[in-house]
Amino acid sequence: FFLQHAVCMLRKLTFAARSTMSTLLASTTSTTITTTTTTHIRGRWKRSNVSSKNSGRYYSRCASSSSTKNLFVVFSNVRRHQQRRRRHHQSAAARCFSSSSCVHSNDDEKDDAFARRRNDLLFSRPSTSSSSNLRGCRSSFLLRAKKSKSSSAGGGANDATNEQQQQQQKSSTMVEPETGRSILYDRDGEIHVGVLEKRLGKSGWSILVADSSSASPTNNNISEKHIKFVMTKKRSLDDLRIIIERAKLLLTDGSLKLTWEICKEEEEEGNNKGATYTIEDLQEMLVPDVEDEEEAKTTLMLVLSESTNVYFKHQQQKSRKSSSSSASDIIYTTRSEDDANALQKKLDAELLAKKLEDEFVSEIQNAMLAKDDDRTTMKKAKSLEVFNDNNGTRHQRLESLQAYASGDECYTPGQKASAEDLLAKLNVQKTSQKAAEVLVKLGIWREHENLALRRNLIPVEFDENLVQLAQTIQCEPSDVDLDASSRVDLSRLEVFAVDNESTYEIDDGISIEKIEGDDEFVRVYIHVADPTRFIVFDSPLDIEARKRGTTLYLPTESIPMFPKSLSGGKLSLRVANDETTTRNDNEGVALTVQADISRLNGSIRSYDIYPSTISGVTRMTYEDVDAHLKDEGRAKNDLHLLNECAVARYHKRENEGAINILLPELDVFVSSADARGGDVSSEIFLKRRDNSASNILVSEMMILAGEIAGTFGVENSLALPFRGQGEPRLLDEETWDTIPDGVCAEMAMRSCMTASSQGITPRPHHSLGLSAYVQFTSPIRRYADLLAHYQIKSYLRSGRHSSEISNEKLELVLSEAGANASVGIKTQREISKYWVTEYFSRQMGSADNIYEATVVKSMRSDAFALALLEDTGFETPFKLLRENDFKLGTTVKIKVDSANPIEQQLFFSQVYEGTDDDDNDEQNDSQ
């Protein structure tokens, strides 16, 4: 029915067009026009008859739409096309009166101006019929476009006068921004509509944004320079939403494209390429049915926005942009077909990206609202598996958010912009702390994320290729042993590996045996793991260990220098009766330091270093060794002999100037956590560790191995990673007399120590009382120790004063590894401090928030002193009740005033311990 009706109306319109054009031609031929002009008009009329057949292609193109509700729009477009053809011929007749288009021999400006005025009177005057008025307007907008182009090349004074009058007329109708006015404004290249709510400062405004997709208005702040124009009529947000919906319809129903095609054809037929169009011109083609002219122009400005319109481009502006500029000032030109297609593809890609971004934001919002039970499995997943898209856009957005949440200096400008954009879309405040809260809600971060790892760029996991390589070394037997011929079989010895119970890297063990016929000297063996048997210098695993520098022992979990499967497997010393690891017979290898030590004075009579093979290692904790040594009923065995040598060595070094500081240390353990962090359910334990006999025994044996390695380097002119420490800056005797013995004196001595240094040349280590010292006994945990192994083993193989690594290379590698190790140790301390602060923050408000502490040191501020908590060995400043009112060595009670784990701020203050009688005495004294 609609189709038949459309065809019928099309025929009627065609007949009416021919009748109108015949009348026009009759009236035109009665005037004084040359024969050339008449022929031109009739030729255009014939072309119109032929061209009218082409109108069906617009109809058929639009009628192919599957939606019947658009048929009225389709019919309207067909009718507009027919009317455009009729008006085009009226424009041709009008050009006959113009001296610039027909009368080629007359260039007089007065005649040209007279012709333009007569054209305006004939074709642009108001009509009593709305259809004829529309017809006249549509026939003239292309003519005006062509005339504006020609007048720009040779315009006269009258044109300037007319433009000045038009500008004055516009200025008389301009509206200044004020509260309640509706506006069009530009934001990030897009045109929006809104209502001015209130002024912010001199040039800012708070506005209510009209959005058709949102029932409730949203607020936004803009600068006045972004306002395109202010509407004269105050409109509600509902009115503005109707305008937005109309603009969306024009973009989707093909009207804008059809108008562009008509304009392009007219430009080609009239040889008028580059014609310009104003809002009024396009209004006649696109929204002729909108009676409110301001509403129509607002709709068109939304349609013709640079962000959504691919067919018309904004060429220039007749007057300078301002908040009071008119929509009529904007000039448009048609784009080429290639440009339009390219922009359409770009727009489609942007729309697709926006759709994906909206879906991403929606998924994040839903995940943030999920129940805690639903996030449990998410927290157990590997970081970034949630919302991961194979390292695509989502992965990068979440990486940026994590970098932003890690704090300053952890993100690039691009990551900051990406993170803040995502937070804005989530309606979350743009701060690092809020970003961290989002990541916790998503399950990507723990409630207690170890942020120091991210801030200091500490790697936690190993690359998959390195993990595979470690597995290969661990599982496959290696027949290549460069030191096989020189390895000494020490399988007869009992080897003790003393370490913490949680340690899985067994990198050193000790043995002892009596020397036949000698009651003073005993033979001590320090067996050190031999990782260089499997790890080649400058291999991928060696380079990775160099980047890490050291194994980190965090309160939650350790981060090894080598993959765990290897560092706790083949690289470690062989443990007896260890059923968790399958080993081959040739894997019990070590690099052994042998020395004959006096049980009386600790002196070294002889030493040797060589590769060896050992049998199973007996693991013991420090508590096990202490219990063994204290058991008087137990017969003396190897552990007792080792303890005798350790005590003799301790006193020998002390007599030679060593400074042995015996202070308790704090151990922090966190349950239900990993290297990344823990949750609210994670329990925190603080444990005091004093220097017991077992600690001294192990420490002295390790120092002995380092002294022998240093002596070996000096005697053989071998470059090694020597470690040294300068002389302490001792206090004067008068100050020492004021410091009580015990923990206060130990604390004062520690404050006198200078910083240590490391290099490839020998240097004295004053705190150890040694002239040369090399850290040698932890090659699985410290890269500097691994370098010492490379050098010594290379020298032992060659038998001459040379090594595998050149001195220049060794110095560079040692510097790199040392810097990385320093960052790792700093990170370890920061994380320990975080968990300690979290521990005390949980005690606040409870009866347990009172701690006994010993005042051990004064501070620069008279209001504070340094205390050592008796139960945990934790050192902290605290605020005194009265300034400078304390005595070193006394016991006080302190409490936590505030604790902020993220900022690592922990404040204690002294608790008043007086009685009510003391309070009354103080009041009487004050009176």
Side-chain angles (χ1 to χ4, degrees), residues 324-485:
S324 58
S325 62
S326 171
S328 303
D329 295 334
I330 304 176
I331 303 300
Y332 297 94
T333 58
T334 57
R335 298 184 188 273
S336 66
E337 185 174 357
D338 292 340
D339 290 345
N341 292 334
L343 285 174
Q344 186 62 53
K345 290 181 180 179
K346 179 182 177 183
L347 181 61
D348 292 341
E350 291 175 351
L351 291 175
L352 177 60
K354 185 178 184 301
K355 178 183 177 182
L356 295 175
E357 176 72 4
D358 292 341
E359 292 176 353
F360 178 50
V361 173
S362 178
E363 288 181 25
I364 291 180
Q365 290 173 333
N366 293 333
M368 291 173 62
L369 296 175
K371 297 180 180 179
D372 291 339
D373 295 340
D374 298 334
R375 293 200 301 267
T376 302
T377 55
M378 296 167 62
K379 293 174 183 176
K380 294 180 180 178
K382 184 180 178 181
S383 179
L384 289 181
E385 283 185 352
V386 184
F387 312 114
N388 195 3
D389 56 346
N390 298 324
N391 294 331
T393 304
R394 292 185 169 195
H395 178 92
Q396 294 174 4
R397 294 297 297 274
L398 290 174
E399 279 283 12
S400 298
L401 189 64
Q402 291 187 93
Y404 185 77
S406 299
D408 296 338
E409 299 181 359
C410 295
Y411 50 77
T412 64
Q415 288 177 325
K416 178 182 179 182
S418 175
E420 291 185 344
D421 174 71
L422 182 57
L423 292 175
K425 292 176 180 177
L426 295 172
N427 294 323
V428 175
Q429 187 178 359
K430 300 175 184 178
T431 64
S432 296
Q433 186 172 354
K434 293 297 181 182
E437 292 176 3
V438 170
L439 292 167
V440 170
K441 290 181 179 179
L442 293 178
I444 297 176
W445 276 16
R446 284 78 169 166
E447 277 83 356
H448 298 286
E449 186 79 7
N450 287 335
L451 293 181
L453 295 175
R454 300 184 178 277
R455 294 191 184 112
N456 298 324
L457 304 178
I458 301 297
V460 177
E461 292 86 11
F462 286 85
D463 183 78
E464 188 63 29
N465 295 331
L466 295 175
V467 174
Q468 292 294 334
L469 181 58
Q471 287 287 354
T472 301
I473 296 174
Q474 173 64 27
C475 299
E476 296 182 2
S478 176
D479 298 329
V480 179
D481 183 5
L482 300 179
D483 307 298
S485 60

Side-chain angles (χ1 to χ4, degrees), residues 451-686:
L451 293 181
L453 295 175
R454 300 184 178 277
R455 294 191 184 112
N456 298 324
L457 304 178
I458 301 297
V460 177
E461 292 86 11
F462 286 85
D463 183 78
E464 188 63 29
N465 295 331
L466 295 175
V467 174
Q468 292 294 334
L469 181 58
Q471 287 287 354
T472 301
I473 296 174
Q474 173 64 27
C475 299
E476 296 182 2
S478 176
D479 298 329
V480 179
D481 183 5
L482 300 179
D483 307 298
S485 60
S486 59
R487 287 196 183 275
V488 179
D489 184 9
L490 299 179
S491 57
R492 69 182 187 279
L493 298 175
E494 183 179 9
V495 181
F496 301 99
V498 184
D499 219 320
N500 295 320
E501 186 176 0
S502 59
T503 302
Y504 58 87
E505 299 167 322
I506 312 301
D507 53 9
D508 57 70
I510 50 179
S511 301
I512 193 170
E513 65 179 357
K514 294 181 179 180
I515 301 174
E516 187 176 353
D518 194 334
D519 295 333
E520 179 181 355
F521 285 86
V522 292
R523 187 158 294 161
V524 175
Y525 302 88
I526 300 99
H527 311 285
V528 183
D530 189 9
T532 60
R533 159 75 169 80
F534 310 100
I535 307 297
V536 179
F537 180 73
D538 264 348
S539 64
L541 285 172
D542 174 74
I543 293 174
E544 180 65 21
R546 191 184 309 166
K547 291 178 181 178
R548 296 171 179 249
T550 183
T551 293
L552 301 185
Y553 293 96
L554 307 180
T556 54
E557 185 184 26
S558 62
I559 302 177
M561 192 172 71
F562 290 105
K564 274 188 177 181
S565 61
L566 196 57
S567 61
K570 186 175 288 189
L571 299 188
S572 290
L573 293 179
R574 185 176 183 179
V575 178
N577 301 323
D578 184 3
E579 299 178 357
T580 61
T581 305
T582 302
R583 295 176 177 266
N584 297 325
D585 292 337
N586 65 342
E587 292 178 349
V589 295
L591 186 60
T592 298
V593 176
Q594 173 187 311
D596 291 347
I597 305 297
S598 172
R599 294 160 52 181
L600 301 178
N601 56 28
S603 61
I604 302 173
R605 185 172 63 183
S606 62
Y607 73 88
D608 199 3
I609 303 176
Y610 50 84
S612 64
T613 56
I614 59 175
S615 60
V617 177
T618 302
R619 287 203 58 180
M620 300 184 72
T621 64
Y622 290 100
E623 291 78 10
D624 294 336
V625 175
D626 286 331
H628 191 93
L629 295 177
K630 290 179 181 178
D631 189 355
E632 297 179 356
R634 185 188 298 266
K636 290 188 176 182
N637 55 14
D638 291 349
L639 283 177
H640 289 87
L641 286 176
L642 285 169
N643 187 52
E644 287 183 19
C645 291
V647 172
R649 289 284 304 168
Y650 180 87
H651 292 301
K652 177 182 181 299
R653 289 191 306 103
E654 202 169 42
N655 293 334
E656 293 177 356
I659 301 174
N660 295 309
I661 300 175
L662 301 178
L663 282 172
E665 295 187 18
L666 170 67
D667 290 332
V668 187
F669 304 96
V670 180
S671 65
S672 303
D674 56 22
R676 291 289 184 187
D679 299 324
V680 178
S681 59
S682 300
E683 294 187 62
I684 309 169
F685 304 93
L686 304 185

Side-chain angles (χ1 to χ4, degrees), residues 118 216 291 304 380 667:
R118 187 157 57 169
S216 58
E291 296 180 358
L304 298 172
K380 294 180 180 178
D667 290 332

